[in-house]
Amino acid sequence: MKLRKWQLPLAALLLSTALVACGDKDSSSTSTNETSQADQAVEYRDTLNIALTAQPPTLDSAQTVSAVALDIAGNIYQQLFQLDKNYEPQPVLAESYEVSEDGKTYTIKLREGVKFHNGNEMTAADVVASMNRWLVTSSRAKALLEGANFTEVDPYTVELTTKTATSDVLILMASQAQFPAIMPKEIVESATAEGFSEYIGTGAYKFQEWKQDQYIHLVRNADYVSLEGDASGFTGEITAPTENLYYHFVTDHSTRIAGVQTGEYDIADSIPIENYDQLASDPNVELQTFPGGTLTAFFNTNEGVLANEEIRQAVLAAFNNEEIMLASFAKPELYALAPGYLNQNQTQWSTEAGAEYYNQADAEKAKKLLAEAGYNGEEITLLTTKDYNEMYTATLVIQEQLRQIGMNVKVETFDFPTWLETKNDRSTWDIFVASTGYQITPAQLLAVTPDWAGLDNETIKAGLAAARAASTPEEAKAEWEKVQTYMYEYASSTVIGHYNGVVAINKDLEGFELFEAPVVWNAKLAK
C-alpha cells in the first residue's frame, strides 16, 4: 500500500508551535492577553447581509454548477477533502487516506465525533450513501469516475474503488463545482430528481429559511468543531463569528450597488464594471478582484443550423473577441485575451493551442464559409440572462457581429434558473455565452462536460483520458494541447476572454476572503 500521511505535517506544526511558545513564554502570554482584551472590547454585529446577482436553482451541490448555489451550500455542507489556497486537496471530514499500489483503491479514515445539524454523528454509512449518490448525480463524476464505488469498511473507514488509476481522483472530490456534500444517509435516500426538501450538513452554518425570490437565511451551528490551522482557501480554521448570514437575491444591479453604498448590504458580488469607478471612489466601500474565469461561447453541435461544422467555423471567424470583452467588462485591465480554457497563471495547463481559430474578426472569411456551407438565412437563437450582465452584453454584441455577416439572429432572455433549465433543451438554442469559473484540470471543464452543452465527442474523451493517465506533467500537457486544438477545429465552443471577478464589501469587514468565491464563514463587522 502506498501511504500518504497527513498527520505528520500537523504533528510538525504542533511541535513547532510548542517550541515557539516555550522559547518566549512570558511575552507570548502578554500578547495573547492583550489581543483577547482587545477582542472583548469590540462588539460585533450578529448579522451579515450578502447581495447575490441571482437566486440559486437549488442547494443540492451535486446537481449544479451555479456559483451562487455553491457559495451558499459551502457554508452548510462539508466534503471529505477541500482545496487549500494552493489548490491542493486537504482532508476535512476525512482524517487520512491510503492509496493502493495499483492506484485503484483509496482507503479513507473519517474524523470521529463530527455531528450533523440534526445532532446525529457522521459515520461511514452516511459517507458511502452521500458519495455514491454524487457518483451518479454529478455530471463530472459520472463522466470521469465511471464505475467507481464507495463501500463501508468499518464505522469510521470507507473505501473507494475505481476502474482505472488516474492522477486527479482527490482533486475531483475536493473541487467546488458539483461538490460531493456529506449528509445523513436518510436524507440521501429521500432525494428526488429535483433534490432535497431538507438541507442538513456538518458545516459551520445551518439552513434556516428560503424565502423564494427574496433571500436564504443561515444561522451559526453552535456545535461546529473547526479544523485547526490558519484559514486557507476552503480549509483551515472556521470561527463563524457572525450569528446570521442572509443571502439576498438582488438581480437589479443598480439596487445591489446602492445597497452596498448605503450599508444595507455588507457584501455585493458580481459588480458590473460600469459601476467600478463609482464604488472605487466611495470611502465606505472596498473593491476586491480575483481571477474569475473565462467568458465562453458554447455552440449547439447536435441540432439546428450550427450542427453544421462549417457554419460553426464561420461563426468563429466572425467573432471579434476584443470588442465583445470590452463591451462586457469595460476596463481592459479587468480582462485578457487568450485562447486557453484554463487559468493563464496555471502553467501546467495554460496553452495557446488552437490560437489560429481565436479572435479572427474576419467578416469576409466568415461570409465565404457561410456561402460554402449553404447557409440560406435560417434563424438562429442566442440564449441569455440579464442576471449576469457580462453574459447578456456579450450576447448582444455577438448578435450584431453575426448580423454583419448576414446571419438571421434572435435573442431569447430568461432569469438565471430558467436559463439553466432552457439550455438543457437542445432544440431551443444555437449559441449561449456563460461566464464560468476556472477549473483545476481540463477534464473538469464545462466545455468538455456532455451534460453542459451537449458535446459528446469520442476524440475529446480519448484525449482527456490520455492526459489523466499520463505518467509525467509534460506528457499530460501535450495531450491536453491536442484536445484544445481539436476543440477549436471542431468549433464546439470558444473562449472569448479571461475576466477578473469584482466584489464590493464594507471597508470595515474583517475576516473576509476571496478564493474561487467569496468566503464569509470567518467574516465579522464591528457595530
Side-chain angles (χ1 to χ4, degrees):
M1 301 288 275
K2 187 185 295 180
L3 179 64
R4 302 185 190 185
K5 284 288 188 183
W6 293 94
Q7 295 93 332
L8 186 58
L10 177 60
L13 176 63
L14 293 173
L15 177 61
S16 172
T17 304
L19 290 174
V20 171
C22 289
D24 191 13
K25 182 176 179 180
D26 291 342
S27 62
S28 174
S29 175
T30 301
S31 175
T32 301
N33 288 338
E34 289 174 349
T35 301
S36 176
Q37 290 170 5
D39 284 346
Q40 290 176 4
V42 178
E43 291 189 38
Y44 289 92
R45 289 168 34 180
D46 65 1
T47 298
L48 288 180
N49 292 293
I50 303 143
L52 303 176
T53 189
Q55 177 168 222
T58 177
L59 290 181
D60 183 358
S61 62
Q63 287 194 344
T64 186
V65 296
S66 163
V68 291
L70 297 168
D71 292 353
I72 298 172
N75 296 288
I76 303 171
Y77 301 111
Q78 293 179 292
Q79 303 160 236
L80 291 176
F81 302 88
Q82 296 178 202
L83 297 176
D84 67 15
K85 66 180 180 182
N86 298 316
Y87 295 91
E88 294 292 336
Q90 302 291 352
V92 173
L93 292 179
E95 183 177 273
S96 62
Y97 72 95
E98 299 174 358
V99 186
S100 62
E101 288 291 349
D102 65 4
K104 297 181 181 178
T105 302
Y106 290 71
T107 303
I108 302 169
K109 296 287 290 183
L110 307 177
R111 285 172 59 198
E112 298 186 25
V114 175
K115 296 289 184 65
F116 287 111
H117 298 157
N118 61 9
N120 296 331
E121 184 183 10
M122 177 194 76
T123 66
D126 303 305
V127 173
V128 168
S130 299
M131 295 304 292
N132 280 337
R133 178 179 181 270
W134 173 70
L135 287 171
V136 298
T137 303
S138 160
S139 58
R140 286 191 174 103
K142 282 191 291 186
L144 302 176
L145 292 173
E146 183 181 6
N149 188 55
F150 281 83
T151 56
E152 178 178 343
V153 177
D154 63 45
Y156 298 105
T157 309
V158 298
E159 188 173 88
L160 166 65
T161 55
T162 62
K163 288 176 63 177
T164 57
T166 59
S167 58
D168 56 3
V169 171
L170 289 185
I171 288 177
L172 293 173
M173 288 197 288
S175 294
Q176 191 200 28
Q178 296 185 326
F179 72 77
I182 302 301
M183 57 190 74
K185 179 182 177 183
E186 61 270 22
I187 297 295
V188 175
E189 292 175 343
S190 71
T192 65
E194 289 72 37
F196 306 104
S197 57
E198 293 183 89
Y199 307 106
I200 297 176
T202 59
Y205 283 89
K206 300 190 290 186
F207 176 86
Q208 182 70 18
E209 181 185 18
W210 187 332
K211 192 79 169 179
Q212 282 293 323
D213 300 320
Q214 295 186 43
Y215 61 79
I216 287 176
H217 176 200
L218 308 183
V219 297
R220 181 169 55 210
N221 174 15
D223 297 324
Y224 180 75
V225 178
S226 173
L227 294 171
E228 297 180 350
D230 293 338
S232 174
F234 293 135
T235 66
E237 184 180 37
I238 297 176
T239 59
T242 305
E243 175 74 23
N244 302 284
L245 301 179
Y246 279 89
Y247 284 90
H248 301 269
F249 317 136
V250 191
T251 57
D252 181 75
H253 303 305
S254 59
T255 303
R256 207 162 63 255
I257 300 300
V260 77
Q261 288 190 289
T262 61
E264 180 179 3
Y265 305 125
D266 308 305
I267 301 166
D269 80 343
S270 300
I271 298 301
I273 302 304
E274 60 266 30
N275 299 103
Y276 186 93
D277 291 335
Q278 174 190 349
L279 290 175
S281 62
D282 190 323
N284 297 314
V285 175
E286 177 183 331
L287 291 179
Q288 296 191 3
T289 64
F290 64 106
T294 61
L295 190 67
T296 304
F298 298 88
F299 305 142
N300 191 337
T301 59
N302 298 292
E303 300 182 35
V305 177
L306 266 67
N308 184 325
E309 183 179 330
E310 290 180 284
I311 293 181
R312 297 200 302 273
Q313 281 295 348
V315 171
L316 268 189
F319 270 26
N320 181 332
N321 294 8
E322 174 73 49
E323 187 176 74
I324 300 169
M325 291 299 287
L326 184 60
S328 303
F329 295 97
K331 287 182 171 296
E333 62 267 33
L334 292 177
Y335 68 83
L337 297 180
Y341 282 79
L342 288 115
N343 191 331
Q344 291 178 281
N345 299 323
Q346 197 178 359
T347 55
Q348 168 62 43
W349 300 115
S350 181
T351 173
E352 297 284 311
E356 62 270 34
Y357 297 96
Y358 178 76
N359 191 28
Q360 298 176 69
D362 189 340
E364 294 308 313
K365 177 182 175 182
K367 291 176 183 177
K368 183 172 182 292
L369 288 171
L370 281 182
E372 291 174 355
Y375 176 72
N376 193 32
E378 295 90 343
E379 185 176 69
I380 69 168
T381 301
L382 308 187
L383 201 65
T384 191
T385 174
K386 289 184 178 179
D387 289 355
Y388 288 88
N389 188 58
E390 72 280 5
M391 290 164 56
Y392 180 68
T393 302
T395 301
L396 297 185
V397 176
I398 289 170
Q399 180 187 32
E400 183 57 30
Q401 289 181 357
L402 296 185
R403 282 177 172 169
Q404 291 297 319
I405 64 170
M407 298 192 81
N408 179 15
V409 189
K410 72 172 182 180
V411 172
E412 295 277 4
T413 306
F414 302 95
D415 62 64
F416 183 60
T418 307
W419 177 86
L420 279 172
E421 185 179 341
T422 305
K423 80 167 182 55
N424 291 333
D425 181 353
R426 317 281 186 240
S427 68
T428 61
W429 59 272
D430 297 286
I431 299 173
F432 69 82
V433 174
S435 46
T436 60
Y438 285 123
Q439 299 301 317
I440 310 302
T441 66
Q444 294 175 289
L445 291 168
L446 290 174
V448 300
T449 301
D451 285 356
W452 178 249
L455 178 64
D456 194 8
N457 184 285
E458 294 303 322
T459 301
I460 292 174
K461 287 180 181 177
L464 293 172
R468 296 176 69 206
S471 57
T472 68
E474 292 77 14
E475 182 185 329
K477 184 170 184 177
E479 295 294 341
W480 166 237
E481 287 178 335
K482 293 178 191 174
V483 174
Q484 184 170 298
T485 299
Y486 176 79
M487 289 166 65
Y488 275 106
E489 291 173 345
Y490 188 61
S492 53
S493 62
T494 179
V495 169
I496 300 172
H498 298 249
Y499 64 89
N500 285 338
V502 181
V503 175
I505 65 172
N506 185 309
K507 71 174 181 58
D508 295 322
L509 189 65
E510 304 173 34
F512 174 78
E513 290 189 36
L514 276 177
F515 172 72
E516 296 285 297
V519 180
V520 302
W521 51 49
N522 288 324
K524 58 185 178 181
L525 190 59
K527 290 182 178 177

